[in-house]
């Protein structure tokens, strides 16, 4: 008897769009969601995930979603971030970038200390602490899936993959929910405002500007899509070069790099061509791509992976969440200068530390749509999470697993 219901790619993508629109509608209807900066796709995605879990229980079959479109939306989104990135912002982001690199290493170490202690308390092997820690949290589902077999082989823990996926799943949900409230607390307690209120909104258009922005036409959309397609094509080519050199990076990283190059070179080489950077069309497409990616990611969460692991995961993740909140508010925010950009990065780091880079960007987008732009934050955080974290995380995890 077939125990699975496979959802084809087209239906997955269509459901993702519907889920995103549901979240957008709920955000506009219920002010509390805007008040606490909850990303639009998070609301719809979690409701859909709960509904699909109920369907799976009633039918007795697992829902398996095809997710190729989700991965394309991620590449499209980071290409748009690259096109919007200005060299001046990259240079200005040098100091916060360095600070975030150091804080990321400290977070990885702290998550694994908490994870190891939690593993020992609940009679798991010490090495399983990485699955309660940075392998599943700051590393996300991909890192957890990659390291779980190694933890299982080293310890004989049969449920290592299920443990890693379950922790990563709950971590992603928490990450999507805590970033906005953290920023609200920091911004309103300190009376913060953007240093450049007229700067380009990196992703999306502010709630109070949706009806007054420059018009979006089929021509402007076509220009943006051409630039994005060129960035993605160049990103694929660069990805092959990087892979042949022996360095493994996610595809969205070279697409981000090529987008930065195109976005900064075209105005110099072709001064008479109207740029796509900073246009409402690019902002809308970037938010659409991010929203679709996150909606599909959240609606396809497998709640069945949590069965039988409730108490250990709940206890350890409660400790991890408390650490993340206190670390962001009392360490990261002061070290980044206590300004508006620091508050936006605090929201992003909260999402990144417990979830994934797209979650972090979604948190920052919700914050900046309400309070105002912070373009440097949208360049700095992806650089840290894309280039650096996997290397540092792998080194620390290997030290623990091989112990």
């Amino acid at each position: 008897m077939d125990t699975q219901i496979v959802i084809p790619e087209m239906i997955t993508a269509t459901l993702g769009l519907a889920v995103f629109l549901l979240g957008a509608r709920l955000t506009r209807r219920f002010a509390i969601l805007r008040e606490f900066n909850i990303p639009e796709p998070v609301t719809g995605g979690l409701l859909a995930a709960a509904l699909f879990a109920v369907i799976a229980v009633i039918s007795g079959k697992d829902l398996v979603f095809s997710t190729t479109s989700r991965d394309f939306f991620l590449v499209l989104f980071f290409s748009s971030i690259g096109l919007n990135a200005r060299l001046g912002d990259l240079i200005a982001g040098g100091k916060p970038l360095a600070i975030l690199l150091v804080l990321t290493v400290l977070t990885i170490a702290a998550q694994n200390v908490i994870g190891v202690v939690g593993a020992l308390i609940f009679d798991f092997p010490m090495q399983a602490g990485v699955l309660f820690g940075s392998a599943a949290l700051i590393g996300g589902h991909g890192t957890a899936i990659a390291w779980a077999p190694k933890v299982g082989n080293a310890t004989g823990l049969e449920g290592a993959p299920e443990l890693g996926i379950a922790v990563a799943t709950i971590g992603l949900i928490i990450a999507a929910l805590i970033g906005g409230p953290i920023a609200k607390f920091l911004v309103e307690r300190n009376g913060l405002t953007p240093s450049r209120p007229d700067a380009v909104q990196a992703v999306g258009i502010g709630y109070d500007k949706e009806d007054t922005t420059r018009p979006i036409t089929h021509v402007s959309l076509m220009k943006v899509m051409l630039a994005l397609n060129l960035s993605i094509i160049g990103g694929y080519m660069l990805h092959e070069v990087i892979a042949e050199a022996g360095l493994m990076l996610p595809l969205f990283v070279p697409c981000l790099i090529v987008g930065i190059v195109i976005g900064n070179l075209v105005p110099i080489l072709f001064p008479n061509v109207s740029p796509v950077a900073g246009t409402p069309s690019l902002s809308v497409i970037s938010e659409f791509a991010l929203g679709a990616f996150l909606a599909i990611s959240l609606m396809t969460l497998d709640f069945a992976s949590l069965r039988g692991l409730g108490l250990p995961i709940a206890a350890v993740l409660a400790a991890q969440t408390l650490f993340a909140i206190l670390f962001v508010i009392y360490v990261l925010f002061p070290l980044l200068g206590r300004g508006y950009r620091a508050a936006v990065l605090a929201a992003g780091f909260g999402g990144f530390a417990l979830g994934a880079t797209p979650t972090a960007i979604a948190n920052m987008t919700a914050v900046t749509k309400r309070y105002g732009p912070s373009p440097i934050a949208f360049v700095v955080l992806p650089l840290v999470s894309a280039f650096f974290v996997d290397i540092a995380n792998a080194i620390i995890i290997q030290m623990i697993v091989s112990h």
Side-chain angles (χ1 to χ4, degrees):
M1 181 178 176
D2 191 356
T3 60
Q4 293 183 337
I5 300 175
V6 178
I7 311 299
E9 191 63 53
M10 187 65 178
I11 296 179
T12 298
T14 303
L15 287 172
L17 298 180
V19 166
F20 172 68
L21 290 174
L22 171 64
R25 183 175 181 83
L26 291 174
T27 297
R28 282 154 179 76
R29 183 170 183 179
F30 297 102
I32 190 171
L33 297 175
R34 300 192 302 276
E35 181 74 14
F36 287 93
N37 309 305
I38 304 302
E40 294 169 337
V42 170
T43 308
L46 292 180
L47 288 174
L51 174 61
F52 294 148
V54 172
I55 293 174
V57 170
I58 293 175
S59 67
K61 297 182 179 182
D62 295 328
L63 300 182
V64 179
F65 293 86
S66 302
T67 56
T68 302
S69 61
R70 179 196 65 183
D71 299 334
F72 171 74
F73 286 132
L74 181 64
V75 170
L76 185 66
F77 168 70
F78 275 101
S79 299
S80 71
I81 290 293
L83 288 175
N84 251 337
R86 305 272 63 82
L87 285 178
D89 290 338
L90 290 172
I91 295 172
K95 182 178 179 180
L97 176 63
I99 294 172
L100 280 176
L101 289 177
V102 175
L103 295 180
T104 298
V105 174
L106 293 177
T107 301
I108 292 172
Q111 284 185 345
N112 286 319
V113 169
I114 295 171
V116 167
V117 171
L120 295 175
I121 290 175
F122 290 100
D123 295 325
F124 284 86
M126 183 271 290
Q127 291 89 337
V130 300
L131 299 178
F132 283 109
S134 69
L137 295 176
I138 210 166
H141 284 82
T143 305
I145 291 171
W147 281 96
K150 299 179 181 179
V151 172
N153 291 335
T155 64
L157 180 64
E158 294 182 357
E162 290 77 10
L163 173 63
I165 292 172
V167 173
T169 298
I170 297 299
L172 186 66
I173 296 172
I174 296 172
L177 296 175
I178 68 168
I182 287 174
K184 171 182 167 61
F185 170 75
L186 293 174
V187 169
E188 297 182 0
R189 184 182 72 168
N190 296 282
L192 302 176
T193 56
S195 59
R196 295 161 54 191
D198 297 327
V200 174
Q201 187 82 14
V203 182
I205 298 173
Y207 292 120
D208 60 343
K209 299 178 181 178
E210 290 182 339
D211 296 326
T212 61
T213 187
R214 289 172 287 170
I216 298 173
T217 67
H218 66 288
V219 174
S220 66
L221 288 172
M222 194 67 73
K223 288 180 179 179
V224 170
M225 288 308 303
L226 174 60
L228 287 170
N229 282 5
L230 291 173
S231 299
I232 293 172
I233 292 171
Y236 270 98
M237 296 170 64
L238 180 58
H239 187 258
E240 291 294 328
V241 173
I242 293 174
E244 289 180 4
L247 181 61
M248 297 305 297
L249 289 175
L251 176 60
F252 70 79
V253 175
C255 292
L256 170 69
I257 296 171
V258 175
I260 293 174
V261 173
I262 291 177
N264 285 275
L265 278 185
V266 168
I268 297 174
L269 299 177
F270 306 99
N272 295 325
V273 175
S274 57
V276 298
T279 62
S281 296
L282 181 58
S283 295
V284 166
I285 290 177
S286 65
E287 185 172 22
F288 159 74
L290 176 62
F293 170 84
L294 201 54
I296 295 173
S297 296
L298 289 172
M299 79 177 194
T300 56
L301 289 177
D302 182 14
F303 287 151
S305 65
L306 308 179
R307 288 189 293 243
L309 297 168
L311 180 59
I313 290 177
V316 177
L317 281 184
Q320 296 282 18
T321 302
L322 179 62
F323 162 76
I325 293 173
L326 295 177
F327 185 80
V328 165
I329 292 175
Y330 295 108
V331 179
L332 182 144
F333 178 68
L335 288 178
L336 289 177
R338 298 179 179 273
Y340 177 70
R341 182 176 66 199
V344 174
L345 283 170
F349 196 86
F352 163 54
L354 295 175
T357 303
T359 312
I361 300 295
N363 287 348
M364 296 195 300
T365 299
V367 172
T368 55
K369 285 181 68 173
R370 182 180 179 201
Y371 295 111
S374 181
I376 294 177
F378 284 84
V379 177
V380 168
L381 191 136
L383 289 175
V384 173
S385 60
F387 283 105
F388 183 75
V389 67
D390 287 341
I391 298 173
N393 205 11
I395 293 173
I396 294 176
I397 292 172
Q398 181 63 51
M399 293 171 58
I400 297 173
V401 172
S402 61
H403 181 73

